[in-house]
């Protein structure tokens, strides 16, 4: 049994780690070290609860739920949302990443996502992971029609944030 658990976990880890890491990155506003720590914490929870998985949903949905709950608990540890100064994020972006316009845009997107409230951050990270509305609905516990409305509003908010950040940098 232990051999099968190891193999199952390894398969789950390799299939879902990129998704979990991206969700965590969005949640911790682009801080890659915090995202790696948080994703490691998530996979420890997955390992510890693998025997309890009942198959009522897919592994992907189950891991998303664990990721969402762990990220939300991360915020609640201090009783308030942890604000990571933008300058701290900028300092953590490697010199290699700054050279690429694509990575620079990704960095700007994560900073903008970091300005959203925690639930909106989680939803938009699921959208970036190409989750369908029904999956997001199931994971977040809200109706699919509400998911569509929320995503539309989140995208509008992100456009406004990105535009205002862009305007500020021109001066």
């Amino acid at each position: 049994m232990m051999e099968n658990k190891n193999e199952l976990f390894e398969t789950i880890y390799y299939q879902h780690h990129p998704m979990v890491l991206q969700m965590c990155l969005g949640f911790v506003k682009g801080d890659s070290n915090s995202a790696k720590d948080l994703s490691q914490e998530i996979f420890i929870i997955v390992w510890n609860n693998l025997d309890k998985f009942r198959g009522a949903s897919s592994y992907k949905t189950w891991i998303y739920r664990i990721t969402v709950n762990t990220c939300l608990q991360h915020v609640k540890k201090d009783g308030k949302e942890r604000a990571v100064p933008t300058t701290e994020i900028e300092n953590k972006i490697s010199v290699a990443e700054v050279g690429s316009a694509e990575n620079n845009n990704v960095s700007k997107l994560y900073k903008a996502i970091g300005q959203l409230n925690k639930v909106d951050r989680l939803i938009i990270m699921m959208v970036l992971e190409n989750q369908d509305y029904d999956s997001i609905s199931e994971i977040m516990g809200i109706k699919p029609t509400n998911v569509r409305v929320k995503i539309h509003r989140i995208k509008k908010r992100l456009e406004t944030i990105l535009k205002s950040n862009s305007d500020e940098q021109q001066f």
Side-chain angles (χ1 to χ4, degrees):
M1 175 63 189
M2 185 53 84
E3 187 71 31
N4 290 342
K5 182 179 179 180
N6 289 338
E7 289 174 16
L8 177 60
F9 178 78
E10 201 170 306
T11 301
I12 288 171
Y13 178 84
Y14 286 111
Q15 285 178 350
H16 302 290
H17 183 263
M19 166 194 77
V20 169
L21 186 60
Q22 184 173 345
M23 289 278 296
C24 293
L25 268 170
F27 189 79
V28 296
K29 306 173 186 180
D31 179 347
S32 61
N33 288 333
S34 292
K36 288 175 186 172
D37 289 347
L38 200 51
S39 66
Q40 183 177 13
E41 187 177 326
I42 288 163
F43 280 103
I44 289 170
I45 294 168
V46 168
W47 169 260
N48 289 336
N49 291 284
L50 200 53
D51 296 333
K52 298 174 189 166
F53 179 75
R54 295 183 310 271
S57 62
S58 68
Y59 282 116
K60 186 174 187 176
T61 301
W62 181 61
I63 291 169
Y64 256 111
R65 284 188 185 137
I66 292 171
T67 302
V68 167
N69 289 334
T70 304
C71 287
L72 291 173
Q73 286 172 358
H74 178 76
V75 165
K76 293 176 185 175
K77 282 182 183 174
D78 295 335
K80 62 182 180 202
E81 198 165 334
R82 300 166 189 223
V84 178
T86 315
T87 53
E88 187 178 323
I89 293 171
E90 289 169 356
N91 292 338
K92 291 184 180 193
I93 298 171
S94 71
V95 175
E97 289 179 328
V98 173
S100 159
E102 183 178 320
N103 282 332
N104 196 18
N105 287 337
V106 169
S107 172
K108 288 177 184 177
L109 179 61
Y110 279 129
K111 288 176 192 172
I113 290 170
Q115 294 177 38
L116 299 171
N117 70 48
K118 60 190 174 199
V119 173
D120 289 352
R121 262 186 270 162
L122 292 169
I123 290 171
I124 200 64
M125 292 311 298
M126 286 187 266
V127 169
L128 291 174
E129 274 294 320
N130 297 318
Q131 286 293 306
D132 60 52
Y133 292 162
D134 290 336
S135 296
I136 296 171
S137 167
E138 184 181 344
I139 291 162
M140 298 302 293
I142 55 179
K143 294 179 181 175
T145 51
N146 291 356
V147 170
R148 286 177 178 77
V149 171
K150 277 188 136 327
I151 290 171
H152 177 75
R153 289 180 181 158
I154 293 167
K155 286 179 179 179
K156 289 291 185 196
R157 222 170 297 131
L158 280 174
E159 284 176 20
T160 303
I161 292 168
L162 288 167
K163 183 176 178 350
S164 90
N165 289 349
S166 171
D167 291 344
E168 288 173 14
Q169 291 176 352
Q170 289 178 354
F171 293 107

